[in-house]
Amino acid sequence: MSDFAQIVKQQADIVKIVEGYIRLRKAGVANYSGLCPFHKEKSPSFNVHAVRQFFHCFGCGVSGDVFTFVGKIENVTFPEAVKIVAQKCSIPLPKQEYSSPEQAAEARLRGKLLELHETAAAWFEEQLRGPEGALAREYLAGRGLHPEGIKKFRVGYAPDSFNALRDRLSGAADAETLRASGLFSSKEVAAATDGKPQYGPLYDRFRKRVMFPIANESGRVIAFTGRILGATADGEKSGPKYLNSPETPLYIKGQVLFNLDKAKSVIRQAGFALLVEGQMDCISVFLRGIQNVIATSGTAFTEQQVAILKRHTSNVVVNFDPDTAGANAAEKSIALLTEEGFSIRLVTLEGGLDPDRFIRERGVEAYTQAIRNARAQADYLIERARQEFPGAGAEQKVKAMNFLLPHIRRMPEKLARDQFAMDAAQKLGIDSAVMREELRQAALKRRDRVEMRAAALTEVERVLLRALAVTDPDGEQARRIAVEVIGRQPSWFEHLGSFPALQVLAERQARDPMEVVEDEAQRALLAEALLGETRPPEPAEVQGAIQEIEERWTENRLRAIRVQISEAERKGDFAELALLTQKKLELDRALRALQNRRPPGE
């Protein structure tokens, strides 16, 4: 142990450090106990000894000194743990030695930029409280943000001025450092002879905006998001609704998770992180007591953010906005989290509301219940596939399968991929054994797609194609039976590979069957049926084929209803459960009636 680490350990009180993360109660002369932060438990088995300065958990067996505790709970290295404990104890860090002048200059710049951002954050807070901040205060009140919440998140206001912040910070740093902060803009006017561009005067980047500070994991302000409040005084275009700081030596968008500094300890205690899309969503949820919430910060979810999050949990509940952009962002986030072995559930809020509006209108209890009812990753994605590719046709089912396969492929565990594939086959109504096996093999071998193969004709399809292709008046009755049912109940036939040909033939009037079917693959199926024909089908054969189709359709509907019943039971939606149960009883009766109509011996 280094001399500095030894000094820190001698001055640190492990009880006070641990109490910064979990609640302890006195359990003896020098002993304190609490719930272990490293495993789930209901009765406290985690103990801290105040005299000997160590901790031990009798539940999971973990033990060590103050550095072990901080290193494990913050998921950091030993030197980083020493630094964290020193900062908590207000012990000055030793002067850092740098390997090069460039490294020293970079460290000095970062230190200066942190100072500038702290000063800017305090100044924005001051402006919000002043006369010019009246409109911003009104906006924040309308969003349900009260003074305590504003103070907690250090929300501020950038006035409608090109130089107010510049004037405030001009004495704190030179122009080059101010430009590097990202707090200001300037126009490039010319290129110098040495190749470096020449810039015009600096002016405030954020004007007439509500300011939301973005902090790093240690809670230091490193950037801002500004929300516009209307056109500026000079009539200039108001710009984007939300304006983020550019990337700087302090701030790389894809490496920051908004609110992680406040949420990380709660995430560890709760056992999962709630990931939302917007900063106002995050703030609104946090201030109503759900404090394990974080948000992406001005960018789509990235691999670096996944790695940062994994230091704190492997369980995530995703609640992005319900619009198309939000759904796409959710799918990309799922993909990244899946590859890293996260357990993922997804929340879809009623009424198409975002988290901020939902929790303000429906209340925290309703939102908490929505989180409890969050769907497993597989269920969410399968439902998305059904929405994107509706219909029971083979082509739509293959498209739905190919939508799901990239997500299935990313799952590290073979058993999880196999289970996902089986669930997808059931819920998509894939009753073809060949297609189910295609999906399963693609999942197990981690392929991205299955190819649309021309399925072999079933005997039912052969009978129907031949009946619809009848040109002899003697076979007209068989043809009329098929035409009438396909026109009346097309959904019964959608799952058949030859459904497009059946539809066209049912409407062909007196035209030649082979000319009416224009699609090459469908024409090949018709040719296969007709070339094997020895005689036109009898009306009884067509009736039998239609009955088989109706039975299969009814069985598929029953499977779908059972899935919906399970979902309603999981949600505790008893009204929906009663309706679904009634539908199931009706379908059961219909299926029994169909089976009773079969000729004896079948």
Side-chain angles (χ1 to χ4, degrees), residues 62-127:
V62 66
S63 62
D65 62 9
V66 66
F67 300 135
T68 308
F69 177 84
V70 171
K72 186 171 179 61
I73 202 164
E74 294 281 3
N75 200 12
V76 296
T77 62
F78 175 79
E80 290 171 317
V82 172
K83 182 179 178 182
I84 290 170
V85 175
Q87 289 172 333
K88 288 180 182 292
C89 298
S90 300
I91 301 170
L93 298 175
K95 187 176 180 180
Q96 188 171 350
E97 295 182 3
Y98 300 103
S99 59
S100 68
E102 291 79 11
Q103 189 182 50
E106 183 181 334
R108 284 195 298 272
L109 175 61
R110 287 176 59 85
K112 177 56 69 174
L113 294 181
L114 284 169
E115 289 176 18
L116 291 173
H117 276 81
E118 174 56 35
T119 303
W123 187 78
F124 288 138
E125 289 179 280
E126 184 183 328
Q127 302 310 301

Side-chain angles (χ1 to χ4, degrees), residues 131-355:
E132 285 195 68
L135 183 61
R137 293 195 298 272
E138 184 181 337
Y139 163 77
L140 291 169
R143 296 296 298 266
L145 210 55
H146 301 300
E148 311 86 65
I150 291 170
K151 183 178 179 181
K152 180 77 174 176
F153 281 89
R154 302 194 65 185
V155 182
Y157 175 65
D160 188 5
S161 169
F162 279 91
N163 53 29
L165 180 61
R166 184 193 65 191
D167 293 346
R168 173 67 181 83
L169 297 179
S170 60
D174 58 35
E176 197 60 39
T177 303
L178 293 176
R179 184 176 291 109
S181 72
L183 295 168
F184 305 96
S185 298
S186 58
K187 294 178 181 177
E188 186 177 331
V189 293
T193 53
D194 61 359
K196 292 183 179 178
Q198 295 292 306
Y199 293 97
L202 292 171
Y203 58 91
D204 294 3
R205 174 182 293 274
F206 300 102
R207 302 183 304 281
K208 202 175 183 182
R209 289 178 180 271
V210 176
M211 300 299 292
F212 299 95
I214 298 170
N216 61 17
E217 205 168 333
S218 300
R220 302 288 300 275
V221 178
I222 57 173
F224 292 92
T225 293
R227 203 276 188 193
I228 196 70
L229 284 180
T232 51
D234 60 359
E236 185 183 87
K237 275 184 71 177
S238 58
K241 184 176 180 181
Y242 288 95
L243 179 66
N244 296 305
S245 292
E247 294 200 345
T248 69
L250 287 182
Y251 176 55
I252 299 173
K253 293 179 183 179
Q255 296 180 8
V256 178
L257 286 165
F258 182 77
N259 198 49
L260 184 60
D261 58 309
K262 297 181 184 67
K264 58 187 179 182
S265 62
V266 191
I267 287 170
R268 288 189 290 266
Q269 292 167 16
F272 73 96
L274 173 62
L275 178 65
V276 297
E277 196 174 4
Q279 291 165 339
M280 267 309 302
D281 289 334
C282 185
I283 292 171
S284 189
V285 170
F286 183 94
L287 292 176
R288 284 163 179 81
I290 302 172
Q291 298 187 344
N292 54 327
V293 59
I294 54 175
T296 53
S297 184
T299 180
F301 208 40
T302 66
E303 291 179 10
Q304 294 93 329
Q305 288 171 327
V306 171
I308 291 167
L309 184 56
K310 197 166 187 181
R311 299 206 309 260
H312 305 284
T313 185
S314 293
N315 303 304
V316 177
V317 174
V318 179
N319 183 197
F320 282 0
D321 290 351
D323 57 19
T324 302
N328 292 337
E331 285 165 24
K332 289 175 183 175
S333 300
I334 291 168
L336 289 171
L337 292 163
T338 300
E339 287 181 336
E340 292 302 318
F342 276 76
S343 172
I344 309 157
R345 294 182 297 138
L346 294 103
V347 176
T348 304
L349 298 174
E350 294 176 4
L353 301 178
D354 60 30

Side-chain angles (χ1 to χ4, degrees), residues 26-46:
K26 209 162 187 346
V29 177
N31 191 36
Y32 294 79
S33 68
L35 295 175
C36 181
F38 306 123
H39 78 285
K40 290 184 178 180
E41 61 178 11
K42 294 182 179 179
S43 300
S45 58
F46 181 87

